[in-house]
Structure formats: C-alpha cells, structure tokens
Amino acid sequence: MKRAKENHHVIPQFYLKRFADESRTIRETDIASKLAQIIPVKRATVRKHFYTLDGSSGEQLDTLEDFFSLVEDYGARAFNEILDKGVWPLHGRTRKGMAYWIAAQFLRSPRSRSALDRSMNQLRTHLESLGPAEVRSMLRGSSYSDSEADIKWQETLDYYRTSGPQPRNAQARWFAGLLEDTTKGSCATGI
C-alpha cells in the first residue's frame, strides 16, 4: 500500500520563501510557548498529516494535499506575475487561479479547520432534525430534483459518524467536495 505524504505546510512554501533569507531559512515562533527558532522553509509551518484523509477502507489518502498542490501552483504563478513582473490587475486564468488560491487558504488554518468542524457538526445536527421531506421542501424551486436533494442530504449526514471516532479531516473532505461542486470544470481544465 502506498504511504501517504506526512509533512503538510499550513502556509505554502512558495509564500514562505518570499520572507526567507538567502539560505532559505525563516524565523518560526510557536504561539503557545512563544519559543522562536530559525528553521529551513521546508520545515516551517509543518503539521503531520494535517490534510491526510481517511479512506473508507482505512487507507490514508493524499487527495486534499494533492488538491492544495494544484491550487498552490495557481497561486505561485499569480504571485510571480504581481511581484516579479509587476502585472496588475490580474486577468483571465491568472486572476481565477489567485481567487482559488485565496479561497483554499481557509482550510490551511488550524483555527479555521476547527471552526469548520464545529459548523459541520451543527449542520449535521440540524439536518438530522429536519429529515429528507423537509429538506426537499426547502430546495423546491432550486436546481435540485427531489432525488438529488435526498442524495445531497444523505451525503452531508454521512460525512460524520453518529458515534465513535470521526474519520480524520472529515470536515476538510466536505469542504473539498463543496469547492469541487462550486468550481465544476474550472480546475479540471487547468483554469
């Protein structure tokens, strides 16, 4: 079985490099302990398995990490246009790529991820209390058919188990699915 990537950057390396010295090191301060240290950009802001997803068979998936790599490429190109070439305002694919990069940063922050987890649990509790008939009624007039509404309702409930440990980064999987739904076709075509 393929081993999942472990070291995930909360802040992208391409961005950190802009603040590093000539030896590609940067000062990182631990917020809790206030301890500061000079470390290579490669190790700065790293969290073990921060984006790793648990697969249905217990395997570790790099899906979210791979998604961020793709989006980081878009962001890096946009930053290079702005900072190295002096291009402003951005247009076309570069502008769209920068927008995706900015939106994706929401999942990179541990605080945002925790808030997203709380929000998803609240949403799940609310949806469980509604039931499929009420969800269908609320979505009448939208682009969802009753059967599509039932599927989306069940998919949302399935993200979180009702008991026992939750799959690792379940809220991130939900967010990634939401981002994929809202950007259908844009990322797949290379923006």
Side-chain angles (χ1 to χ4, degrees):
M1 182 184 324
K2 182 184 146 212
R3 189 172 170 168
K5 300 168 191 165
E6 292 182 3
N7 297 323
H8 301 159
H9 286 82
V10 175
I11 300 172
Q13 284 187 73
F14 85 83
Y15 190 78
L16 292 171
K17 287 175 184 173
R18 296 274 181 181
F19 297 93
D21 61 18
E22 58 279 347
S23 61
R24 291 194 177 209
T25 59
I26 194 167
R27 180 182 304 272
E28 181 180 73
T29 304
D30 182 273
I31 293 172
S33 69
K34 307 290 188 236
L35 178 67
Q37 57 183 340
I38 304 294
I39 60 173
V41 166
K42 188 175 183 171
R43 289 195 353 243
T45 74
V46 167
R47 295 260 178 131
K48 295 281 185 199
H49 292 291
F50 192 61
Y51 306 123
T52 302
L53 301 173
D54 288 335
S56 57
S57 304
E59 72 277 21
Q60 296 179 346
L61 304 174
D62 288 326
T63 309
L64 196 55
E65 172 68 7
D66 294 344
F67 168 76
F68 277 125
S69 293
L70 177 67
V71 173
E72 283 175 19
D73 286 344
Y74 300 147
R77 280 187 243 148
F79 271 89
N80 288 337
E81 290 285 316
I82 297 166
L83 299 173
D84 298 338
K85 298 178 183 174
V87 175
W88 190 259
L90 296 174
H91 297 285
R93 289 180 173 188
T94 307
R95 180 183 178 116
K96 192 182 268 187
M98 181 63 132
Y100 287 133
W101 183 81
I102 291 168
Q105 299 319 295
F106 179 77
L107 269 181
R108 296 195 92 108
S109 160
R111 183 178 293 169
S112 294
R113 292 276 294 277
S114 180
L116 183 58
D117 196 31
R118 284 190 307 277
S119 295
M120 278 306 301
N121 279 322
Q122 289 171 350
L123 176 61
R124 182 182 183 13
T125 301
H126 182 68
L127 287 174
E128 281 179 321
S129 71
L130 293 176
E134 197 165 342
V135 171
R136 273 189 236 117
S137 174
M138 289 176 0
L139 291 175
R140 288 235 162 72
S142 70
S143 61
Y144 288 106
S145 68
D146 284 353
S147 62
E148 289 172 323
D150 288 349
I151 290 167
K152 288 293 183 186
W153 178 77
Q154 191 59 51
E155 283 177 355
T156 302
L157 294 182
D158 288 344
Y159 278 107
Y160 285 88
R161 297 179 186 137
T162 53
S163 62
Q166 299 300 333
R168 180 179 13 204
N169 291 325
Q171 79 286 22
R173 183 185 301 265
W174 176 83
F175 185 83
L178 180 64
L179 189 58
E180 182 182 328
D181 284 350
T182 58
T183 61
K184 203 55 108 187
S186 298
C187 288
T189 59
I191 296 190

